[in-house]
């Protein structure tokens, strides 16, 4: 095993880029001639010269979502964990213009930030000019007038007390609603309640209208071994069947997790 094998910037880097790009473009149905060139920023620049026309949305010499997605996919496939990274830049019909790295942009912003800080320090150290005349003292605030009994000020005493705000999200009690009874619906709900009590299983009705929830709560009256109540708020409100003696769920075998280590790097 050579010392450069598995390293993104090693001797096998260009062949891997050519192989991956050729395979991907072939599967896309847009084969292209590849022109590889070392960029000034250390990345590998690749010009794609499509043989039978460019993919939809791709124009020569311009960036596009197709090229950005292909470039992102290619770099993800090349840069494995624990290896040296060397980025690949793609261009349609020509080599792409080098993009500034985050580190370079941070270095460019650092001098500007330091210059701004120096200006602030100079401004802070410069003594302020004294005014020609001293400002007149502000008039003393007069104490608030109190009422005849010596209690709180009149303005505060006259202010009415605010009533407490009603609680948000309060839902009406469906049991208090008057709804028309449906015999078939009532029979089906009672059977489900009896099944929940006998099997010890939890059931729930979701996405129901307020009137239907009221019919469910009225239909289960008198069924023993189960508690039925409406829970939640808004669209998440549902009718839950809770058995008095819940039964444990049977254990199920779990599928083995996919092993990602068997992928050949």
């Amino acid at each position: 095993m050579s010392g450069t094998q598995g390293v993104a910037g090693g001797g096998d880097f260009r062949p891997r880029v050519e192989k991956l790009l050729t395979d991907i473009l072939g599967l896309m149905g847009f084969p292209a001639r590849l022109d590889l060139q070392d960029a000034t920023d250390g990345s590998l620049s690749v010009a794609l010269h499509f043989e039978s026309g460019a993919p939809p949305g791709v124009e020569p010499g311009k960036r596009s979502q197709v090229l950005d997605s292909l470039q992102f996919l290619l770099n993800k496939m090349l840069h494995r964990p624990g290896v040296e990274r060397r980025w690949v830049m793609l261009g349609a019909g020509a080599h792409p213009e080098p993009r500034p790295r985050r580190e370079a942009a941070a270095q460019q912003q650092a001098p500007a930030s330091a210059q701004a800080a120096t200006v602030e320090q100079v401004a802070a150290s410069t003594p302020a000019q004294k005014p020609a005349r001293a400002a007149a003292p502000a008039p003393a605030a007069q104490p608030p007038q109190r009422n005849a009994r010596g209690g709180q000020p009149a303005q505060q005493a006259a202010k009415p007390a605010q009533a407490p705000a009603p609680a948000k999200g309060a839902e009406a009690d469906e049991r208090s609603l008057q709804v028309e009874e449906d015999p078939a619906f009532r029979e089906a709900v009672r059977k489900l309640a009896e099944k929940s009590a006998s099997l010890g299983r939890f059931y729930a009705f979701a996405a129901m209208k307020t009137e239907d929830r009221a019919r469910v709560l009225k239909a289960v009256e008198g069924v023993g071994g189960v508690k039925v109540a409406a829970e939640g708020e808004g669209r998440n409100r549902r009718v839950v069947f809770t058995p008095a003696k819940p039964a444990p769920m049977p254990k199920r075998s779990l599928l083995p997790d996919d092993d990602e280590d068997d992928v050949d790097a």
Side-chain angles (χ1 to χ4, degrees):
M1 181 176 180
S2 61
T4 59
Q5 185 175 2
V7 180
D12 62 340
F13 185 62
R14 285 200 174 198
R16 290 181 60 197
V17 173
E18 294 181 2
K19 178 70 167 55
L20 288 174
L21 268 178
T22 302
D23 293 344
I24 295 175
L25 294 175
L27 293 174
M28 293 174 57
F30 295 95
R33 179 176 57 84
L34 309 181
D35 181 12
L36 285 72
Q37 177 180 313
D38 294 332
T40 56
D41 58 354
S43 62
L44 181 62
S45 175
V46 182
L48 306 179
H49 301 278
F50 295 98
E51 299 176 358
S52 57
V58 177
E59 297 181 9
K62 296 183 179 181
R63 302 299 307 178
S64 66
Q65 295 183 356
V66 177
L67 282 184
D68 290 343
S69 301
L70 181 59
Q71 178 177 295
F72 176 81
L73 175 63
L74 180 63
N75 283 285
K76 278 292 184 181
M77 298 175 67
L78 290 171
H79 298 155
R80 298 278 183 175
V83 299
E84 180 186 353
R85 295 189 174 187
R86 187 184 181 192
W87 298 100
V88 179
M89 308 293 292
L90 302 181
H95 289 278
E97 297 182 0
R99 296 184 179 182
R101 295 298 176 190
R102 295 180 180 178
E103 296 80 1
Q107 293 177 0
Q108 294 177 1
Q109 293 178 0
S113 301
Q115 184 178 2
T118 304
V119 173
E120 292 179 359
Q121 293 177 359
V122 173
S125 61
T126 303
Q129 296 180 359
K130 296 182 179 180
R133 295 181 180 179
Q142 298 180 359
Q145 298 180 359
R146 298 184 177 275
N147 52 21
R149 298 183 180 181
Q152 297 294 330
Q155 295 180 356
Q156 297 182 1
K159 184 178 180 180
Q162 296 182 356
K168 296 182 179 180
E171 296 290 345
D173 186 8
E174 289 83 351
R175 297 181 185 274
S176 61
L177 297 179
Q178 299 295 331
V179 293
E180 183 179 357
E181 183 178 355
D182 187 346
F185 183 82
R186 180 177 183 276
E187 184 65 21
V189 171
R190 291 185 67 88
K191 287 184 178 180
L192 182 62
E194 295 172 355
K195 183 178 180 181
S196 176
S198 61
L199 299 180
R201 295 286 186 264
F202 292 82
Y203 297 101
F205 284 141
M208 298 185 70
K209 296 181 180 180
T210 305
E211 294 78 5
D212 292 335
R213 290 196 298 267
R215 291 188 179 93
V216 173
L217 297 177
K218 293 181 181 296
V220 297
E221 294 179 355
V223 180
V226 62
K227 177 184 177 182
V228 184
E231 301 178 358
E233 298 178 356
R235 296 182 178 180
N236 297 326
R237 193 162 178 81
R238 59 197 178 277
V239 181
V240 180
F241 293 71
T242 304
K245 297 180 180 180
M249 295 293 293
K251 296 183 179 180
R252 298 180 180 180
S253 60
L254 299 177
L255 296 176
D257 296 336
D258 295 336
D259 189 4
E260 298 180 356
D261 296 335
D262 57 351
V263 179
D264 187 8

mmCIF file of all heavy atoms in Angstrom, residues 220-248:
data_model
loop_
_atom_site.group_PDB
_atom_site.id
_atom_site.type_symbol
_atom_site.label_atom_id
_atom_site.label_comp_id
_atom_site.label_asym_id
_atom_site.label_seq_id
_atom_site.Cartn_x
_atom_site.Cartn_y
_atom_site.Cartn_z
ATOM 1 N N VAL A 220 -69.925 6.041 24.803
ATOM 2 C CA VAL A 220 -69.204 5.121 25.696
ATOM 3 C C VAL A 220 -69.700 5.203 27.123
ATOM 4 O O VAL A 220 -69.135 4.520 28.012
ATOM 5 C CB VAL A 220 -67.703 5.427 25.663
ATOM 6 C CG1 VAL A 220 -67.139 5.199 24.271
ATOM 7 C CG2 VAL A 220 -67.410 6.854 26.123
ATOM 8 N N GLU A 221 -70.732 5.996 27.390
ATOM 9 C CA GLU A 221 -71.246 6.081 28.755
ATOM 10 C C GLU A 221 -71.814 4.735 29.188
ATOM 11 O O GLU A 221 -72.610 4.123 28.479
ATOM 12 C CB GLU A 221 -72.320 7.170 28.845
ATOM 13 C CG GLU A 221 -71.789 8.573 28.613
ATOM 14 C CD GLU A 221 -72.885 9.623 28.685
ATOM 15 O OE1 GLU A 221 -74.067 9.221 28.814
ATOM 16 O OE2 GLU A 221 -72.565 10.829 28.602
ATOM 17 N N GLY A 222 -71.350 4.268 30.331
ATOM 18 C CA GLY A 222 -71.818 2.992 30.858
ATOM 19 C C GLY A 222 -70.921 1.811 30.556
ATOM 20 O O GLY A 222 -71.136 0.722 31.100
ATOM 21 N N VAL A 223 -69.913 1.978 29.699
ATOM 22 C CA VAL A 223 -68.977 0.897 29.385
ATOM 23 C C VAL A 223 -67.900 0.878 30.470
ATOM 24 O O VAL A 223 -67.215 1.871 30.700
ATOM 25 C CB VAL A 223 -68.341 1.090 28.000
ATOM 26 C CG1 VAL A 223 -67.366 -0.044 27.701
ATOM 27 C CG2 VAL A 223 -69.423 1.159 26.933
ATOM 28 N N GLY A 224 -67.748 -0.255 31.148
ATOM 29 C CA GLY A 224 -66.795 -0.351 32.240
ATOM 30 C C GLY A 224 -65.432 -0.834 31.776
ATOM 31 O O GLY A 224 -65.267 -1.414 30.699
ATOM 32 N N GLY A 225 -64.419 -0.609 32.614
ATOM 33 C CA GLY A 225 -63.073 -1.085 32.328
ATOM 34 C C GLY A 225 -62.281 -0.221 31.386
ATOM 35 O O GLY A 225 -61.170 -0.598 31.000
ATOM 36 N N VAL A 226 -62.792 0.932 31.020
ATOM 37 C CA VAL A 226 -62.083 1.799 30.099
ATOM 38 C C VAL A 226 -62.472 3.237 30.393
ATOM 39 O O VAL A 226 -63.615 3.520 30.783
ATOM 40 C CB VAL A 226 -62.396 1.458 28.629
ATOM 41 C CG1 VAL A 226 -63.865 1.662 28.323
ATOM 42 C CG2 VAL A 226 -61.520 2.281 27.679
ATOM 43 N N LYS A 227 -61.508 4.148 30.236
ATOM 44 C CA LYS A 227 -61.732 5.576 30.410
ATOM 45 C C LYS A 227 -61.551 6.254 29.070
ATOM 46 O O LYS A 227 -60.525 6.073 28.410
ATOM 47 C CB LYS A 227 -60.755 6.162 31.435
ATOM 48 C CG LYS A 227 -60.876 7.655 31.607
ATOM 49 C CD LYS A 227 -59.825 8.192 32.567
ATOM 50 C CE LYS A 227 -59.896 9.707 32.683
ATOM 51 N NZ LYS A 227 -58.854 10.248 33.583
ATOM 52 N N VAL A 228 -62.517 7.034 28.660
ATOM 53 C CA VAL A 228 -62.492 7.715 27.369
ATOM 54 C C VAL A 228 -62.568 9.209 27.629
ATOM 55 O O VAL A 228 -63.468 9.687 28.330
ATOM 56 C CB VAL A 228 -63.656 7.262 26.464
ATOM 57 C CG1 VAL A 228 -63.550 7.914 25.098
ATOM 58 C CG2 VAL A 228 -63.661 5.746 26.336
ATOM 59 N N ALA A 229 -61.623 9.950 27.082
ATOM 60 C CA ALA A 229 -61.568 11.393 27.287
ATOM 61 C C ALA A 229 -60.953 12.049 26.069
ATOM 62 O O ALA A 229 -60.195 11.426 25.316
ATOM 63 C CB ALA A 229 -60.762 11.735 28.543
ATOM 64 N N ALA A 230 -61.282 13.326 25.887
ATOM 65 C CA ALA A 230 -60.707 14.137 24.804
ATOM 66 C C ALA A 230 -59.462 14.836 25.326
ATOM 67 O O ALA A 230 -59.479 15.435 26.403
ATOM 68 C CB ALA A 230 -61.726 15.159 24.299
ATOM 69 N N GLU A 231 -58.369 14.751 24.550
ATOM 70 C CA GLU A 231 -57.089 15.323 24.949
ATOM 71 C C GLU A 231 -56.531 16.161 23.800
ATOM 72 O O GLU A 231 -56.868 15.948 22.646
ATOM 73 C CB GLU A 231 -56.079 14.228 25.322
ATOM 74 C CG GLU A 231 -56.531 13.332 26.452
ATOM 75 C CD GLU A 231 -55.527 12.236 26.747
ATOM 76 O OE1 GLU A 231 -54.497 12.170 26.027
ATOM 77 O OE2 GLU A 231 -55.753 11.440 27.675
ATOM 78 N N GLY A 232 -55.627 17.094 24.133
ATOM 79 C CA GLY A 232 -54.970 17.916 23.129
ATOM 80 C C GLY A 232 -55.748 19.178 22.819
ATOM 81 O O GLY A 232 -56.834 19.431 23.355
ATOM 82 N N GLU A 233 -55.182 19.975 21.926
ATOM 83 C CA GLU A 233 -55.771 21.247 21.540
ATOM 84 C C GLU A 233 -55.734 21.407 20.034
ATOM 85 O O GLU A 233 -54.842 20.891 19.370
ATOM 86 C CB GLU A 233 -55.018 22.422 22.189
ATOM 87 C CG GLU A 233 -55.051 22.421 23.711
ATOM 88 C CD GLU A 233 -54.249 23.558 24.301
ATOM 89 O OE1 GLU A 233 -53.620 24.289 23.503
ATOM 90 O OE2 GLU A 233 -54.236 23.717 25.532
ATOM 91 N N GLY A 234 -56.689 22.140 19.520
ATOM 92 C CA GLY A 234 -56.712 22.468 18.097
ATOM 93 C C GLY A 234 -56.788 21.233 17.215
ATOM 94 O O GLY A 234 -57.583 20.316 17.449
ATOM 95 N N ARG A 235 -55.916 21.207 16.190
ATOM 96 C CA ARG A 235 -55.912 20.078 15.264
ATOM 97 C C ARG A 235 -55.405 18.795 15.906
ATOM 98 O O ARG A 235 -55.672 17.701 15.409
ATOM 99 C CB ARG A 235 -55.044 20.412 14.052
ATOM 100 C CG ARG A 235 -55.571 21.576 13.219
ATOM 101 C CD ARG A 235 -54.687 21.829 12.013
ATOM 102 N NE ARG A 235 -55.191 22.914 11.185
ATOM 103 C CZ ARG A 235 -54.602 23.342 10.074
ATOM 104 N NH1 ARG A 235 -53.476 22.762 9.672
ATOM 105 N NH2 ARG A 235 -55.117 24.339 9.379
ATOM 106 N N ASN A 236 -54.650 18.930 17.000
ATOM 107 C CA ASN A 236 -54.109 17.750 17.670
ATOM 108 C C ASN A 236 -55.062 17.148 18.693
ATOM 109 O O ASN A 236 -54.695 16.205 19.390
ATOM 110 C CB ASN A 236 -52.789 18.106 18.368
ATOM 111 C CG ASN A 236 -51.724 18.548 17.390
ATOM 112 O OD1 ASN A 236 -51.670 18.058 16.267
ATOM 113 N ND2 ASN A 236 -50.877 19.480 17.799
ATOM 114 N N ARG A 237 -56.258 17.696 18.815
ATOM 115 C CA ARG A 237 -57.207 17.161 19.778
ATOM 116 C C ARG A 237 -57.723 15.812 19.298
ATOM 117 O O ARG A 237 -58.036 15.630 18.115
ATOM 118 C CB ARG A 237 -58.365 18.132 19.993
ATOM 119 C CG ARG A 237 -59.230 17.799 21.218
ATOM 120 C CD ARG A 237 -60.050 18.981 21.628
ATOM 121 N NE ARG A 237 -60.933 18.707 22.762
ATOM 122 C CZ ARG A 237 -60.538 18.714 24.035
ATOM 123 N NH1 ARG A 237 -59.265 18.986 24.308
ATOM 124 N NH2 ARG A 237 -61.394 18.473 25.006
ATOM 125 N N ARG A 238 -57.818 14.863 20.202
ATOM 126 C CA ARG A 238 -58.220 13.497 19.870
ATOM 127 C C ARG A 238 -58.967 12.893 21.037
ATOM 128 O O ARG A 238 -58.923 13.400 22.155
ATOM 129 C CB ARG A 238 -56.971 12.657 19.555
ATOM 130 C CG ARG A 238 -56.005 12.608 20.733
ATOM 131 C CD ARG A 238 -54.624 12.140 20.306
ATOM 132 N NE ARG A 238 -53.698 12.134 21.431
ATOM 133 C CZ ARG A 238 -53.036 13.192 21.873
ATOM 134 N NH1 ARG A 238 -53.204 14.360 21.267
ATOM 135 N NH2 ARG A 238 -52.212 13.111 22.898
ATOM 136 N N VAL A 239 -59.655 11.775 20.783
ATOM 137 C CA VAL A 239 -60.371 11.014 21.805
ATOM 138 C C VAL A 239 -59.565 9.757 22.095
ATOM 139 O O VAL A 239 -59.305 8.956 21.189
ATOM 140 C CB VAL A 239 -61.791 10.664 21.354
ATOM 141 C CG1 VAL A 239 -62.528 9.900 22.444
ATOM 142 C CG2 VAL A 239 -62.561 11.920 20.993
ATOM 143 N N VAL A 240 -59.162 9.565 23.347
ATOM 144 C CA VAL A 240 -58.267 8.491 23.734
ATOM 145 C C VAL A 240 -59.026 7.480 24.586
ATOM 146 O O VAL A 240 -59.748 7.853 25.522
ATOM 147 C CB VAL A 240 -57.051 9.036 24.510
ATOM 148 C CG1 VAL A 240 -56.112 7.902 24.903
ATOM 149 C CG2 VAL A 240 -56.316 10.075 23.677
ATOM 150 N N PHE A 241 -58.850 6.194 24.267
ATOM 151 C CA PHE A 241 -59.418 5.088 25.032
ATOM 152 C C PHE A 241 -58.299 4.515 25.914
ATOM 153 O O PHE A 241 -57.334 3.949 25.405
ATOM 154 C CB PHE A 241 -59.957 4.000 24.111
ATOM 155 C CG PHE A 241 -61.158 4.428 23.296
ATOM 156 C CD1 PHE A 241 -61.034 5.337 22.262
ATOM 157 C CD2 PHE A 241 -62.411 3.914 23.565
ATOM 158 C CE1 PHE A 241 -62.119 5.739 21.512
ATOM 159 C CE2 PHE A 241 -63.511 4.299 22.816
ATOM 160 C CZ PHE A 241 -63.370 5.211 21.789
ATOM 161 N N THR A 242 -58.434 4.634 27.237
ATOM 162 C CA THR A 242 -57.424 4.166 28.180
ATOM 163 C C THR A 242 -58.002 3.020 28.998
ATOM 164 O O THR A 242 -58.916 3.231 29.800
ATOM 165 C CB THR A 242 -56.973 5.296 29.115
ATOM 166 O OG1 THR A 242 -56.509 6.403 28.337
ATOM 167 C CG2 THR A 242 -55.862 4.833 30.033
ATOM 168 N N PRO A 243 -57.495 1.788 28.834
ATOM 169 C CA PRO A 243 -58.041 0.657 29.593
ATOM 170 C C PRO A 243 -57.647 0.740 31.057
ATOM 171 O O PRO A 243 -56.596 1.283 31.421
ATOM 172 C CB PRO A 243 -57.408 -0.556 28.903
ATOM 173 C CG PRO A 243 -56.143 -0.037 28.309
ATOM 174 C CD PRO A 243 -56.409 1.378 27.916
ATOM 175 N N ALA A 244 -58.488 0.185 31.913
ATOM 176 C CA ALA A 244 -58.186 0.172 33.341
ATOM 177 C C ALA A 244 -57.028 -0.766 33.660
ATOM 178 O O ALA A 244 -56.262 -0.525 34.586
ATOM 179 C CB ALA A 244 -59.432 -0.243 34.131
ATOM 180 N N LYS A 245 -56.875 -1.843 32.882
ATOM 181 C CA LYS A 245 -55.783 -2.799 33.080
ATOM 182 C C LYS A 245 -55.022 -2.944 31.760
ATOM 183 O O LYS A 245 -55.306 -3.846 30.964
ATOM 184 C CB LYS A 245 -56.320 -4.149 33.536
ATOM 185 C CG LYS A 245 -57.025 -4.094 34.894
ATOM 186 C CD LYS A 245 -57.539 -5.471 35.299
ATOM 187 C CE LYS A 245 -58.236 -5.420 36.641
ATOM 188 N NZ LYS A 245 -58.735 -6.767 37.052
ATOM 189 N N PRO A 246 -54.062 -2.063 31.505
ATOM 190 C CA PRO A 246 -53.309 -2.155 30.242
ATOM 191 C C PRO A 246 -52.506 -3.446 30.176
ATOM 192 O O PRO A 246 -51.941 -3.907 31.166
ATOM 193 C CB PRO A 246 -52.402 -0.927 30.284
ATOM 194 C CG PRO A 246 -53.003 -0.017 31.312
ATOM 195 C CD PRO A 246 -53.652 -0.902 32.315
ATOM 196 N N ALA A 247 -52.455 -4.029 28.986
ATOM 197 C CA ALA A 247 -51.677 -5.252 28.748
ATOM 198 C C ALA A 247 -50.383 -4.878 28.038
ATOM 199 O O ALA A 247 -50.381 -4.007 27.158
ATOM 200 C CB ALA A 247 -52.467 -6.242 27.899
ATOM 201 N N PRO A 248 -49.248 -5.514 28.393
ATOM 202 C CA PRO A 248 -47.973 -5.197 27.728
ATOM 203 C C PRO A 248 -47.994 -5.615 26.276
ATOM 204 O O PRO A 248 -48.583 -6.640 25.913
ATOM 205 C CB PRO A 248 -46.938 -5.973 28.542
ATOM 206 C CG PRO A 248 -47.716 -7.097 29.156
ATOM 207 C CD PRO A 248 -49.090 -6.566 29.427
#
